[in-house]
Amino acid sequence: MLGKPIRQLTDVNSILQKGIAASYSIFDFLDLQEEVDKGKTSVESIKGNIEWHSMSFKYPNAEKQTLNKITLSLPAGKTLALVGRSGSGKSTIANLIPRFYDIDDGLLSIDGISINDYKLTELRSNIALVNQQVVLFNGTIRDNIAYGYLQNTSDKEVIEAAKAANAWDFIQELDHGLDTMVGENGVLLSGGQRQRIAIARAILKNAPILILDEATSALDTESERAIQTALDGLMANRTTIAIAHRLSTIENADIIAVVDHGEIIEQGSHSELLAMNGAYAQLHNQQFSETPV
Ligand SMILES: Nc1ncnc2c1ncn2[C@@H]1O[C@H](COP(=O)(O)OP(=O)(O)OP(=O)(O)O)[C@@H](O)[C@H]1O
Ligand SMILES: [Mg+2]
């Protein structure tokens, strides 16, 4: 009679072990330090005048300065494009706006108020971000397009956003449409599909500040062109920061800034920069002498 109960005991052990492993990850998460938010300024909506004044930044674990004395001015409603080599600091400049890190020195202000003074949630609710690394949650496509305070958005609006992001065609073909689960961090979707979900999310969010970090890099030329039209519509009259390696996508930006080793080495419009015949002209000539794909 001992055999069965002993076997059952080993079953209990496996349940206990699972529970212990899960508690480790849950308690590690609970022990994480909360984001510091000393900001007190509350605003209904931001206009989107962004100014960088001699802003410097170093990642906490890095040895070298990542950004050095960035000075730039982006009037509300205009588009700033950041170009430059890989690792030059473009994404870092973009990620400091929603305060993913605190700046070390200098000033970054929106509508004349230092971003550190805004309440974190209000600052972020005014920014729509399509990150270089799209983050998706293990939920349905609908949950991933409309999350946070957008949760209660109607299906109609979600579908409209998906259409504008050129994502509706592939969503429709999935077995469960908007209710399809995307897997842990969206592993069940392709890179281009994930990017389009992120763009749909940004379109739905409809925030005054839009950040597009390589938003269409994983897409084929045809899809890119289709989305670019939607993005151009979205960017009109909205403060936009666009980062792209493919220069053809940012030629129309009001200001183009060339970032090199954490510094802005040139800025101006497309034609001004070409006339200067400097770093931008060189990048431009390199790309356009290559045979188009
Ligand atoms: N979380 C981090 N911690 C430490 N260093 C980082 C971190 N993220 C980026 N860096 C470093 O900061 C520098 C700028 O990185 P950043 O991602 O801003 O470059 P980028 O211009 O966006 O490049 P890419 O065109 O490849 O996206 C790089 O040298 C990089 O190694
Ligand atoms: Mg980057």
Side-chain angles (χ1 to χ4, degrees):
M1 285 167 72
L2 271 176
K4 197 172 170 219
I6 287 176
R7 270 202 305 281
Q8 276 172 339
L9 268 183
T10 54
D11 286 350
V12 171
N13 183 46
S14 80
I15 294 170
L16 279 179
Q17 292 300 332
K18 264 195 226 162
I20 292 171
S23 347
Y24 270 118
S25 64
I26 290 170
F27 285 107
D28 277 351
F29 184 71
L30 289 178
D31 287 344
L32 285 179
Q33 213 186 336
E34 252 184 72
E35 272 182 302
V36 197
D37 183 13
K38 297 205 195 88
K40 297 208 165 55
T41 306
S42 178
V43 274
E44 273 294 289
S45 78
I46 281 176
K47 275 213 268 333
N49 254 311
I50 311 184
E51 302 259 359
W52 290 260
H53 189 74
S54 204
M55 180 194 82
S56 299
F57 173 73
K58 187 174 92 62
Y59 281 102
N61 53 355
E63 280 169 20
K64 276 201 325 227
Q65 197 75 7
T66 315
L67 295 176
N68 206 354
K69 298 206 160 55
I70 302 287
T71 298
L72 271 172
S73 166
L74 174 59
K78 301 280 181 200
T79 301
L80 166 72
L82 298 173
V83 301
R85 257 179 280 177
S86 180
S88 54
K90 305 179 296 296
S91 299
T92 309
I93 296 179
N95 289 339
L96 287 175
I97 301 172
R99 246 163 74 196
F100 292 156
Y101 293 91
D102 282 326
I103 55 174
D104 300 324
D105 203 20
L107 186 71
L108 168 51
S109 68
I110 300 179
D111 296 346
I113 300 169
S114 161
I115 57 160
N116 295 333
D117 294 341
Y118 284 103
K119 281 189 192 155
L120 204 53
T121 43
E122 295 197 12
L123 175 71
R124 291 185 182 162
S125 67
N126 281 286
I127 301 173
L129 171 72
V130 180
N131 224 332
Q132 194 167 16
Q133 281 123 12
V134 175
V135 177
L136 296 182
F137 299 106
N138 189 4
T140 64
I141 295 208
R142 182 195 291 99
D143 295 342
N144 274 288
I145 295 179
Y147 71 68
Y149 69 92
L150 297 171
Q151 267 171 42
N152 299 323
T153 318
S154 70
D155 269 13
K156 191 166 156 273
E157 284 170 287
V158 174
I159 292 171
E160 250 163 46
K163 279 184 182 158
N166 205 16
W168 183 239
D169 284 348
F170 87 80
I171 295 173
Q172 236 178 348
E173 280 170 21
L174 296 169
D175 287 344
H176 303 286
L178 278 180
D179 293 314
T180 310
M181 298 290 289
V182 300
E184 187 72 40
N185 202 9
V187 285
L188 304 178
L189 300 175
S190 78
Q193 290 172 336
R194 298 158 49 116
Q195 264 186 344
R196 281 178 279 171
I197 300 271
I199 293 172
R201 189 189 275 174
I203 291 175
L204 189 66
K205 187 159 177 188
N206 195 15
I209 297 174
L210 177 67
I211 301 176
L212 303 168
D213 191 352
E214 299 284 355
T216 54
S217 58
L219 300 176
D220 57 279
T221 323
E222 196 188 335
S223 319
E224 185 174 30
R225 218 167 273 154
I227 296 184
Q228 199 60 49
T229 327
L231 287 182
D232 287 344
L234 194 67
M235 281 153 69
N237 301 321
R238 201 182 295 264
T239 311
T240 308
I241 292 132
I243 301 175
H245 277 288
R246 254 178 278 176
L247 298 184
S248 55
T249 52
I250 51 92
E251 268 175 16
N252 297 326
D254 300 291
I255 309 160
I256 299 174
V258 184
V259 189
D260 189 53
H261 290 99
E263 296 185 19
I264 306 284
I265 54 168
E266 273 177 20
Q267 56 172 304
S269 71
H270 175 70
S271 49
E272 284 166 3
L273 290 178
L274 281 187
M276 269 164 74
N277 210 8
Y280 180 77
Q282 206 181 341
L283 279 174
H284 186 264
N285 292 340
Q286 273 167 8
Q287 285 197 7
F288 287 88
S289 58
E290 286 161 15
T291 35
V293 197

